[in-house]
Structures are given as structure tokens and as C-alpha cells.
Amino acid sequence: MTKSHPGHFFEDFAPGQTIAHATPRTVTEADVALTIALTGSRYALFSADSFAQNCGLPGAPIDPLLVFHIVFGKSVPDISLNAVANLGYAEGRFLTPVYPGDTLNAVSEVIGLKANSSGKTGVVTVRTTGFNQDDEAVLSFVRWVMVNKRDPGAVTTDAPPITPAPFVKGAELLLPPGLDFEGYDLQLAGAPHTFEDYAVGEKIDHIDGMTVEEAEHQLATRLYQNTARVHFDALAQKDSRFGKRLIYGGVTISIARALAFNGLANAQLMLAINGGRHVNPLFAGDTLYAWSEVLAKEDLGSAGALRLRLVAVKNRSAAGFPFKTEPGEYEPDVVLDFDYWAAIPKR
């Protein structure tokens, strides 16, 4: 009998199982600074208290993606420590803004199980909710992950998951209390383009690229306290499909979103994650580029919202908007297909 925990394998999960995840985390301005150092993010709302205060907020909130990664990281030791890959996200809703000094906890519920035909793995679907120190839900999302079985011969029973909604409806989007874009400074934000300047179907090449270094992606993943072996254990990964460590998909999302500043500087505040897929692996030494497509627009009254598809590609320019082949398969250089809503000021 050992006191160390090997993590959950596929046969350890049960439908309706609820898991309260360990290690509450107080988010600080140091976390924000390190996130900027690792991603180069330049969105003004999360960079300057004065800018956020001019928008009616008490100070600069924590970037919702950082909140997502921290809450996600809490769930890893219990849900995906023995994962082969995280397959996708849906129904992500940012419910309450998080500010420096807030403490985050997370709880997950198992909402689906399906064994794979190989007998070696299965797909676990969970709904994870993050809470602050006042037990207010700050974030909720669904994800599905392929998890190894401990014993390939173990008998399991499938529990088909509830099909996630294809996207979060505009009426369900929540703006932070007090948010007022009347005092929004377009010059300080870095671009003149507002809600009215974007058209459904428009595509934007974000032009800039960023090479992901080995130490940087591991530091970022440690920042989120994500312990998945596929990102850290080079010895264990020598015998894996790729023979080396994978970059955590959240690092890909955050860098691609940082690159999207060039063209979407005013679509700062992420309100929801409609869906996301890591369609090809990313490794240290790869260079990321990104492009976006406007999928929909929603007038929220005091602000507009853009539904955006963010596509990240590796080792090639995003010019020409690489995405899928003629038969509908993702091109091999596409690594991320991410669908989200973001608030943006109106004229």
C-alpha cells in the first residue's frame, strides 16, 4: 500500500461522480506578470488598473483565460493525470470576474464515459466549475479527455454524455458588474476598430508569430499547477506515440489569443468558450501563427459581442487562412480550432 496517488484511470470513474479538487489557489499580480512574460499578451483591460477603472471596473481583472487554465489545472490530478490527450471543450461560461487576491477552487462532475474499441483507453466527459473564496461560481465548462485504463481487461459500462450545446447563446453572456465602455480609450487600447467595424464572415490574419520554447511551455504549465505527465516527463514520453513531451493545449490557446491582439485589440474580454479542439500536436521549437473569423455578432446593450473562431497553425504563415482540406479534414499544420465570445466596445 502506497501513500502516493497514481491518479485515476478510466475504470476508476463512474457516472455522476463528483470530485472536489485539491489545492486552492490565490491569484496574484505576480501570476499576471508571469503570464504576460510567457505569452506577450497586450490587452489593456488586464494590463492597467487605470484603464479598467475608466471602464467602470474596480481594477484590472484577471484575464479569463488565466482563470480557465488555473481551474483546469486543479482538475488534472484527478481527471487527466493519466490522459493520452485532452480532446475538446464546450459550454464554457465566465460567470463572475476574478481579481488579484481572489482564491480559486474547483469541482468536477463526471457526465459521460465511453470505452474505446482498443480496450486500452476510454473517453471521460466532465463538467468542471471554479469557485472563488465566497463560493461564487466564476467559471464552468465541459471537457472530454481520453484516459488510459489501468487494466485493459477491466470491464466497464458506457454512460453516454449529454451532448453539449453547440455554442453559448448571446442571451446567456454575462458582462462584469459595472462594466461601462463609455470611458474606453481606443488609442490606449491599441486599435480604432469597434463592434460596428467587424462583419460576419470576415477573416483576419494576425500576422505575428511566436516560437514556443521548451522551458517556457513547461513554466507556463507549472504556473497553472497542471501535472499531466505528457507535458513534463520526457523519460515516460520516449515510448509514447510522438516520443517527446506535448505542449499543453492551454499554452497554445493563450499564445494564439495573444497573437490575435493584432486585429482584435478591442475584443479583450472573453465571455464564453463555445468549443475548442486541439487537432494536431504542438512541440517545443514550433512557431505559432493565428487567424480569426467572425462567426456572429450580438448587441449586449452597453457593449457588443463577437463570436470568433481562433485558428492556430504551426511553422507556416496564417496568410491564406489554412484550415481544412477538401474532404473536410484539418490540415496537418493546424493545431487549434477555438470558438469563443468576446465583448467589444460600440461606437
Side-chain angles (χ1 to χ4, degrees):
M1 195 72 178
T2 178
K3 291 185 172 64
S4 55
H5 194 296
H8 291 85
F9 291 86
F10 179 73
E11 59 264 44
D12 297 325
F13 293 99
Q17 180 182 5
T18 299
I19 304 171
H21 304 299
T23 317
R25 173 76 177 276
T26 301
V27 189
T28 69
E29 292 174 348
D31 297 311
V32 175
L34 186 52
T35 298
I36 292 172
L38 293 168
T39 66
S41 181
R42 294 182 283 160
Y43 294 102
L45 192 68
F46 313 118
S47 299
D49 285 338
S50 57
F51 189 95
Q53 289 161 357
N54 287 339
C55 296
L57 302 178
I62 302 298
D63 187 327
L65 268 184
L66 178 54
V67 175
F68 172 76
H69 296 323
I70 290 174
V71 171
F72 184 104
K74 300 261 153 286
S75 72
V76 167
D78 297 311
I79 305 299
S80 49
L81 189 64
N82 296 303
V84 178
N86 192 69
L87 300 178
Y89 318 95
E91 294 186 6
R93 300 180 64 227
F94 296 99
L95 306 168
T96 303
V98 175
Y99 292 94
D102 285 345
T103 298
L104 299 178
N105 294 277
V107 175
S108 294
E109 179 187 1
V110 178
I111 60 173
L113 296 168
K114 187 178 189 306
N116 290 326
S117 57
S118 69
K120 298 178 180 179
T121 60
V123 176
V124 181
T125 304
V126 298
R127 185 183 303 277
T128 299
T129 304
F131 298 89
N132 64 17
Q133 66 279 1
D134 298 320
D135 290 328
E136 295 176 291
V138 301
L139 164 68
S140 175
F141 61 91
V142 171
R143 72 166 170 133
W144 46 104
V145 57
M146 188 185 300
V147 179
N148 283 308
K149 293 177 73 174
R150 178 189 295 104
D151 174 10
V155 177
T156 60
T157 302
D158 287 351
I162 300 169
T163 302
F167 60 90
V168 177
K169 296 178 181 178
E172 298 174 335
L173 301 176
L174 298 176
L175 294 173
L179 182 71
D180 182 358
F181 281 150
E182 286 295 318
Y184 191 97
D185 190 321
L186 292 170
Q187 185 173 5
L188 290 179
H193 312 297
T194 59
F195 177 69
E196 295 82 1
D197 298 318
Y198 293 90
V200 174
E202 179 180 359
K203 295 180 179 179
I204 304 161
D205 176 4
H206 300 302
I207 300 175
D208 306 314
M210 182 180 294
T211 301
V212 188
E213 305 293 351
E214 191 81 83
E216 292 173 344
H217 86 82
Q218 291 187 73
L219 186 60
T221 309
R222 291 188 189 107
L223 173 67
Y224 315 137
Q225 296 177 317
N226 181 332
T227 57
R229 296 187 178 100
V230 294
H231 307 313
F232 295 116
D233 192 334
L235 183 62
Q237 297 314 304
K238 282 177 65 176
D239 297 323
S240 69
R241 174 185 172 192
F242 300 108
K244 54 186 174 181
R245 288 168 287 194
L246 294 173
I247 289 177
Y248 164 49
V251 173
T252 307
I253 295 170
S254 283
I255 292 177
R257 168 83 169 139
L259 295 173
F261 178 91
N262 190 355
L264 286 166
N266 295 317
Q268 303 198 43
L269 184 62
M270 191 175 290
L271 300 175
I273 297 172
N274 298 306
R277 293 184 63 194
H278 303 290
V279 297
N280 284 299
L282 188 71
F283 303 105
D286 287 339
T287 300
L288 275 181
Y289 295 87
W291 62 271
S292 293
E293 179 182 4
V294 181
L295 299 178
K297 300 175 67 175
E298 189 79 22
D299 191 330
L300 302 181
S302 59
L306 301 178
R307 183 182 169 194
L308 299 162
R309 166 178 283 133
L310 175 62
V311 178
V313 297
K314 63 178 181 180
N315 304 328
R316 64 177 289 189
S317 164
F321 311 111
F323 190 42
K324 291 185 177 181
T325 62
E326 192 74 26
E329 299 293 328
Y330 287 99
E331 294 189 22
D333 298 325
V334 173
V335 295
L336 174 69
D337 181 5
F338 190 72
D339 179 342
Y340 68 101
W341 284 102
I344 187 170
K346 300 190 300 183
R347 276 200 294 273

